[in-house]
């Protein structure tokens, strides 16, 4: 009898455990497919600025569903306005000059859809933004389950001066760029579409590229509880020294954009941070339906997604060039052997230039060390021949590099 109760108890616990980790989906009334989504985050920087207007897509199959043919305009509190013209489906652009973007002024968004529905936002004040005094990095070691799992790397920090009561809330956006090198000591060949093995032309080999990624972790803080003075060592994300990524092996750059926000926008980005933060805990909060400051003028019950904000913006970029104190030795197995094709593909010493080999699907890329031609050739991937194949990669050196 005891054993039966024990088994029953285990089954109940398993059921509760599965219930705890069940994926959360907002109810039909909270998130309907086709809900209007307006994202308009404008700054004090003169130049082209963008408003996105779309319809929500299912959470399981997210996509951008543009709304075309809208009237979109931003109106200053004194009645001065700028119209945003549609440049591509769902994207509306306008050139905003300094005479329109007056610090201390309040602005609102006004949108009319092709169906005649009218939407407007609350007014949002354009606030000044504190200057970034310095942006720098320090060496760090992150430890996980044990010391053997520790990883060395760097972390960037930022200093700024808080000397104006109009600096209420701050948010930071981060973009990384780093130099990536493919091995230059390998010979590259490929099986063409007719299965003949040929050398890869020099014009198709790219060994140095530049990879840029937006870092989606949201950083923000309230200044309301701070005294005037210097704020130092605001920490950003840790950059690990991973030899396969090579982020720190040559040159790494971090661009920090610093925004000055109002209270509503600050809470909006904080909720967004909670929704996009790290997952995995059994007790993670269910995602919040972010409150918008945009409404249907004639129907207060209609839910609108997205947000309108005006923000002061300043930015700074810093670099880490082969940081001292890290193991920057190259990853020896980079671009050597692709086991996914099967063992028989990786031990084929009979591969030789000019031969015909009926392996599918072509093209197949093959390599071996230039200084050790007696070794058997091995399969590799196209990105090892052309580093532009890596995500967000280009062979064109950025102007700021």
């Amino acid at each position: 009898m005891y054993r039966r109760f024990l088994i029953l108890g285990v089954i109940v616990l398993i059921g509760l455990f599965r219930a705890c980790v069940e994926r959360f989906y907002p109810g039909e009334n909270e998130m309907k497919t086709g809900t209007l989504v307006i994202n308009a985050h404008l700054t004090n920087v003169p130049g082209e600025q963008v408003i996105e207007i779309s319809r929500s897509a299912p959470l399981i199959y997210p996509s951008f569903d543009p709304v075309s043919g809208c009237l979109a305009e931003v109106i200053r509190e004194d009645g001065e306005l700028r119209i945003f013209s549609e440049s591509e489906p769902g994207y509306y652009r306008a050139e905003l000059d300094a005479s329109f973007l007056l610090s201390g002024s309040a602005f609102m968004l006004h949108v009319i859809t092709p169906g005649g529905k009218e939407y407007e936002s609350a007014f949002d004040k354009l606030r000044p933004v504190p200057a970034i005094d310095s942006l720098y990095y320090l060496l760090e070691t992150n430890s996980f389950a044990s010391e053997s799992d520790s990883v060395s790397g760097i972390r960037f920090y930022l200093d700024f001066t808080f000397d104006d009561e109009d600096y209420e809330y701050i948010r930071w956006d981060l973009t990384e760029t780093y130099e990536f090198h493919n091995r230059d000591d390998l010979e590259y060949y490929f099986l063409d579409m007719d299965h003949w093995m040929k050398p890869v032309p020099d014009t198709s080999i790219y060994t140095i590229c530049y990879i840029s990624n937006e870092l989606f972790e949201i950083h923000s803080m309230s200044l309301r509880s701070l005294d005037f003075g210097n704020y130092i060592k605001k920490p950003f994300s840790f950059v690990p020294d991973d030899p396969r990524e090579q982020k720190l092996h040559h040159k790494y750059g971090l661009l920090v954009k610093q925004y000055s926000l109002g209270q509503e926008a600050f809470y909006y980005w904080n909720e967004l941070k909670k929704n996009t933060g790290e997952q995995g805990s059994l007790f993670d909060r269910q995602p919040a339906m972010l409150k918008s400051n945009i409404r249907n003028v004639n129907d207060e019950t209609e839910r609108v997604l997205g947000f309108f904000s005006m923000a002061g913006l300043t930015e700074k970029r810093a670099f880490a060039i082969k940081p001292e104190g890290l193991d920057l030795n190259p990853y020896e197995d980079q671009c050597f052997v692709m086991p996914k094709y099967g063992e028989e593909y990786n031990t084929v010493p009979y591969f030789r230039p000019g031969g015909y080999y009926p392996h599918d699907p072509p093209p197949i890329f093959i390599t071996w060390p230039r200084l050790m031609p007696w070794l058997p050739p091995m399969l590799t991937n196209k990105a090892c021949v052309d580093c532009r194949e890596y995500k967000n990669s280009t062979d064109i050196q950025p102007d700021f590099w």
Side-chain angles (χ1 to χ4, degrees):
M1 178 66 70
Y2 173 78
R3 184 178 181 183
R4 289 180 182 178
F5 279 116
L6 179 61
I7 295 172
L8 179 60
V10 171
I11 293 173
V12 170
L13 285 174
I14 292 173
L16 289 173
F17 178 82
R18 293 182 62 184
C20 286
V21 298
E22 183 178 355
R23 182 171 293 183
F24 170 77
Y25 295 101
E28 182 179 352
N29 293 329
E30 292 180 291
M31 181 68 172
K32 292 182 179 179
T33 300
T35 300
L36 188 68
V37 183
I38 303 176
N39 284 308
H41 302 289
L42 311 183
T43 74
N44 65 333
V45 179
E48 185 181 78
Q49 307 215 31
V50 182
I51 296 171
E52 298 177 9
I53 306 177
S54 63
R55 296 282 178 186
S56 62
L59 291 178
I60 301 177
Y61 304 106
S63 62
F64 183 72
D65 182 14
V67 177
S68 292
C70 294
L71 168 67
E73 55 190 7
V74 172
I75 306 170
R76 201 168 59 197
E77 58 187 342
D78 61 0
E80 187 75 14
L81 63 83
R82 295 291 186 272
I83 295 176
F84 285 65
S85 301
E86 189 171 16
S87 59
E88 56 187 290
Y91 293 91
Y92 298 79
R93 304 175 189 271
E95 289 285 336
L96 303 183
D97 53 32
S99 65
F100 180 69
L101 298 167
L102 298 180
S103 181
S105 295
F107 298 78
M108 67 169 288
L109 174 68
H110 180 234
V111 172
I112 301 178
T113 65
K117 291 187 176 183
E118 188 173 358
Y119 301 84
E120 64 180 28
S121 72
F123 274 96
D124 193 28
K125 181 180 175 182
L126 181 56
R127 293 164 172 79
V129 60
I132 299 173
D133 296 331
S134 57
L135 179 64
Y136 52 95
Y137 71 88
L138 299 174
L139 295 184
E140 289 189 12
T141 298
N142 271 9
S143 297
F144 300 97
S146 64
E147 288 188 10
S148 61
D149 293 328
S150 63
V151 177
S152 297
I154 66 173
R155 188 185 301 275
F156 277 87
Y157 294 87
L158 176 144
D159 300 345
F160 68 90
T161 301
F162 177 37
D163 57 3
D164 190 327
E165 62 183 10
D166 284 334
Y167 305 156
E168 295 183 78
Y169 302 92
I170 301 294
R171 178 175 73 86
W172 293 273
D173 275 347
L174 311 178
T175 302
E176 66 175 8
T177 302
Y178 59 96
E179 190 171 312
F180 186 94
H181 290 202
N182 273 341
R183 292 180 59 168
D184 59 3
D185 61 336
L186 303 177
E187 297 282 356
Y188 294 110
Y189 295 84
F190 73 107
L191 294 186
D192 66 14
M193 301 305 291
D194 296 320
H195 300 274
W196 292 98
M197 185 173 172
K198 299 178 179 179
V200 176
D202 290 342
T203 54
S204 297
I205 298 175
Y206 291 84
T207 58
I208 300 178
C209 285
Y210 307 88
I211 299 175
S212 294
N213 299 307
E214 291 184 28
L215 305 182
F216 291 106
E217 182 178 350
I218 296 172
H219 297 268
S220 60
M221 69 178 298
S222 170
L223 305 182
R224 288 193 162 188
S225 61
L226 297 181
D227 296 327
F228 282 178
N230 296 325
Y231 185 88
I232 62 172
K233 291 193 73 173
K234 157 62 187 171
F236 294 122
S237 304
F238 177 72
V239 185
D241 175 21
D242 185 336
R244 290 165 295 188
E245 290 184 330
Q246 299 187 28
K247 286 187 177 183
L248 303 177
H249 280 215
H250 306 286
K251 186 175 182 179
Y252 180 93
L254 184 70
L255 172 64
V256 175
K257 292 185 176 182
Q258 179 170 283
Y259 299 86
S260 182
L261 307 173
Q263 186 178 57
E264 257 196 301
F266 174 77
Y267 287 135
Y268 173 84
W269 287 105
N270 261 10
E271 285 301 308
L272 190 62
K273 177 180 180 179
K274 294 173 185 176
N275 285 356
T276 58
E278 293 183 2
Q279 303 296 314
S281 167
L282 288 177
F283 304 103
D284 279 344
R285 67 195 298 277
Q286 293 179 341
M289 294 303 297
L290 302 182
K291 182 181 179 181
S292 176
N293 64 348
I294 303 169
R295 66 183 183 90
N296 184 323
V297 174
N298 300 307
D299 182 3
E300 295 286 348
T301 64
E302 180 183 349
R303 177 180 285 278
V304 181
L305 300 178
F307 204 83
F308 169 73
S309 67
M310 300 293 299
L313 167 64
T314 187
E315 61 184 51
K316 198 174 189 70
R317 193 188 305 270
F319 297 95
I321 303 175
K322 296 184 176 181
E324 294 183 6
L326 298 178
D327 180 4
L328 302 180
N329 291 318
Y331 181 57
E332 293 297 335
D333 290 333
Q334 180 193 346
C335 295
F336 236 18
V337 182
M338 282 184 61
K340 73 176 186 178
Y341 279 101
E343 185 177 347
E344 70 278 7
Y345 276 69
N346 294 318
T347 56
V348 281
Y350 56 85
F351 270 179
R352 286 295 180 264
Y356 175 83
Y357 306 101
H359 293 291
D360 287 315
I364 295 174
F365 292 89
I366 303 151
T367 186
W368 64 79
R370 183 178 296 121
L371 300 179
M372 293 180 285
W374 59 87
L375 292 179
M378 303 182 196
L379 293 186
T380 189
N381 57 59
K382 187 177 180 182
C384 287
V385 179
D386 181 354
C387 58
R388 299 175 304 172
E389 291 291 312
Y390 291 109
K391 186 177 180 180
N392 300 326
S393 180
T394 178
D395 66 305
I396 300 173
Q397 188 179 89
D399 293 338
F400 55 79
W401 213 245

